[in-house]
Amino acid sequence: MRVSILGCGHVGLVTGACLADIGHEVTCTDNDAAKMGILAQGRLPIYEPGLGSVVDRNLRAQRLSFTSDAGEAVRFGDVIFICVGTPPLPNGEADLAAMDATAKLIVTEARTPKLVIEKSTVPAQTGQRLKQALATYARHSISKFSFRVASNPEFLREGTAVFDFLHPERIVIGVEEEAAEIQLRKIYLPILEQRFSCPLHESTCPETPAPVLLVTDINSSELIKHACNTFLALKISYANLLADICEKTSANVDQVIEAMGLDSRIGPGFLRPGLGFGGFCLPKDIQAFTHVGERAGVDVALLHAIEGINRRRVKCLMQKLHQALWVVKHKSVAVLGLSFKPDTDDIRLAPALELIRQILDAGGDVKAFDPQAMEKAKVELPTITYCESAYQAAQETEALIVATEWEEFQHLDWALIRQTMSRPLILDGRNFLQADAMRALGFEYYGVGRPLEEPTREAIA
Ligand code: UGA
């Protein structure tokens, strides 16, 4: 099938490249000239494991192309995926200006009927507004073609987006007519049947349950996306609330969460306490969803509480830093990890960046290291010292904070780090390191919701 992708952000790029990889002909466009320039040079504007090789092999197979000519992109596909940004307005509501501009573009440039699919995360009832916008622009246009609208939310996690696209747990499609459902089923057939040559796994893919295709109405499909992200945020904030209670009661949050996760009704995922959720999805979606609820006249106190807990996470860690150092002013602090989560260079709403701002406000100096996100961070925080390695960042500092749990930090020579620090103090903002192992190496170690000392077996008995 011929597919157009409007918007080459994280979602658009992964969707375009993976749809080409399963056999469709795909062309992608974006109105950001700088981004299109990078793509034209065969480079990627984002770091996403596995994406580069999928893009390469499909460019070579001529199933994937990028064009700066938005009209050409619109005319190319039988189906158009709208993957434009829906950033928050100052009041937290989703800004749908790019959706509206895209509707106008489609009507102006289309020369054949199209199935227009919302892939961007949007509030419930956006599909209805999109249909109206397409119809309104069509009335004033010379071209008279019919446009169907469907919703197909994405559940891609940054860092594992290619895997998530090709091996999803579920694919949700919100449709109004059978014809749209048939087209969407056809697009996803290779994935539903897990019948494609997987670019991630050379011989056999890991055993995963067959993806479920869920067909809903458009409003429900839009709402499912917000409902999922908000529920994930709820779990994280709940874990953080538990961690705070554990700290005050000398309980161990690791053990509490392990036991909770063994209950299949609760499940172990998204219960890791720490610096809280960042990125451009969970924080913005919860705000947009809160607006949807408020507009609908529903009590959304729960959603405000999730956000409130998350907002306090960095402050909580700052309190620990103040407690340990007494005075932060003129002290040198190492921060390991800048991206909002590991395996991405995305720093949007990253807790690490807010933490660094607060250390600077307190008069401290920061030496930072991140395996991928330093170039982007330099634009946001130009005055701190960026280091070539975690070792360099730790040297002669009086505290080291783990802000993002990059796997490679597990394998550092922590004994060496201990020797080079002015004071061997670790604040583990992600409960990523083994507390007892760090203490055995001579570190003063503070995690989140973890006891200050490992209790002896006798004490437990
Ligand atoms: C999230 C969702 O997980 C995806 O399903 C969704 O498709 C995507 O948003 C989106 O809307 O596009 P993502 O933003 O990539 O994906 O990141 P997550 O893995 O959800 O993590 C979000 C934040 O929560 C990170 O800052 C992470 O460090 C934090 N987190 C996650 C915790 O603090 N504790 C946890 O237990 C899990």
Side-chain angles (χ1 to χ4, degrees), residues 276-336:
F277 55 82
F280 213 52
C281 300
L282 265 48
K284 113 178 144 58
D285 288 355
I286 192 167
Q287 284 191 9
F289 197 41
T290 304
H291 273 274
V292 171
E294 277 168 350
R295 275 201 180 183
V298 174
D299 180 353
V300 289
L302 175 65
L303 306 187
H304 287 300
I306 298 169
E307 255 200 299
I309 291 172
N310 199 55
R311 244 192 328 262
R312 289 191 291 277
R313 297 319 295 163
V314 169
K315 214 166 166 196
C316 236
L317 196 126
M318 279 305 288
Q319 277 165 0
K320 286 181 187 164
L321 184 67
H322 277 288
Q323 185 126 24
L325 291 183
W326 182 34
V327 172
V328 174
K329 200 170 178 181
H330 301 317
K331 300 225 167 114
S332 183
V333 179
V335 174
L336 298 193

Side-chain angles (χ1 to χ4, degrees), residues 25-288:
E25 287 176 71
V26 182
T27 197
C28 311
T29 192
D30 196 292
N31 60 8
D32 179 340
K35 198 181 280 176
M36 294 313 288
I38 294 173
L39 288 165
Q41 292 165 15
R43 294 187 296 124
L44 286 182
I46 53 166
Y47 171 74
E48 177 61 43
L51 183 60
S53 59
V54 182
V55 168
D56 274 355
R57 81 176 192 173
N58 287 286
L59 283 174
R60 271 187 275 111
Q62 297 188 338
R63 280 192 301 262
L64 178 67
S65 60
F66 296 102
T67 174
S68 300
D69 182 341
E72 181 190 320
V74 166
R75 287 187 291 279
F76 180 85
D78 305 311
V79 302
I80 297 176
F81 281 91
I82 303 184
C83 302
V84 297
T86 53
L89 289 166
N91 68 356
E93 215 170 337
D95 182 351
L96 300 175
M99 294 289 293
D100 181 42
T102 306
K104 196 170 191 176
L105 174 78
I106 293 171
V107 171
T108 314
E109 299 293 345
R111 299 291 177 266
T112 52
K114 308 281 180 195
L115 171 63
V116 179
I117 305 167
E118 298 170 336
K119 193 72 160 160
S120 310
T121 299
V122 290
Q125 298 186 329
T126 302
Q128 308 307 330
R129 301 306 302 264
L130 181 62
K131 258 174 57 184
Q132 282 166 14
L134 289 166
T136 308
Y137 292 130
R139 268 203 297 280
H140 304 294
S141 160
I142 41 159
S143 55
K144 296 281 172 245
F145 301 104
S146 62
F147 301 104
R148 291 196 182 97
V149 170
S151 156
N152 172 220
E154 52 85 16
F155 303 105
L156 309 174
R157 293 164 295 176
E158 291 190 22
T160 54
V162 176
F163 178 89
D164 293 344
F165 195 95
L166 296 172
H167 302 289
E169 288 171 338
R170 79 299 208 193
I171 295 173
V172 175
I173 58 175
V175 290
E176 284 183 340
E177 310 100 343
E178 207 188 348
E181 180 184 335
I182 291 169
Q183 268 176 303
L184 274 155
R185 276 185 189 273
K186 210 165 147 193
I187 291 171
Y188 284 113
L189 193 64
I191 291 179
L192 289 168
E193 294 182 347
Q194 289 287 285
R195 193 174 35 76
F196 54 86
S197 140
C198 185
L200 295 177
H201 310 107
E202 265 173 24
S203 45
T204 41
C205 299
E207 283 263 318
T208 47
V212 174
L213 179 78
L214 198 71
V215 184
T216 70
D217 59 82
I218 294 178
N219 288 340
S220 304
S221 168
E222 292 166 338
L223 206 138
I224 285 166
K225 176 59 196 275
H226 271 158
C228 289
N229 273 5
T230 303
F231 190 72
L232 295 173
L234 168 78
K235 286 190 88 176
I236 298 168
S237 279
Y238 187 74
N240 282 322
L241 173 81
L242 278 178
D244 287 349
I245 295 176
C246 285
E247 279 179 14
K248 303 278 182 227
T249 55
S250 303
N252 186 336
V253 78
D254 297 341
Q255 294 171 2
V256 175
I257 278 164
E258 188 183 355
M260 286 174 66
L262 290 170
D263 184 330
S264 61
R265 295 169 302 173
I266 298 172
F270 276 70
L271 284 174
R272 279 178 288 113
L275 277 167
F277 55 82
F280 213 52
C281 300
L282 265 48
K284 113 178 144 58
D285 288 355
I286 192 167
Q287 284 191 9

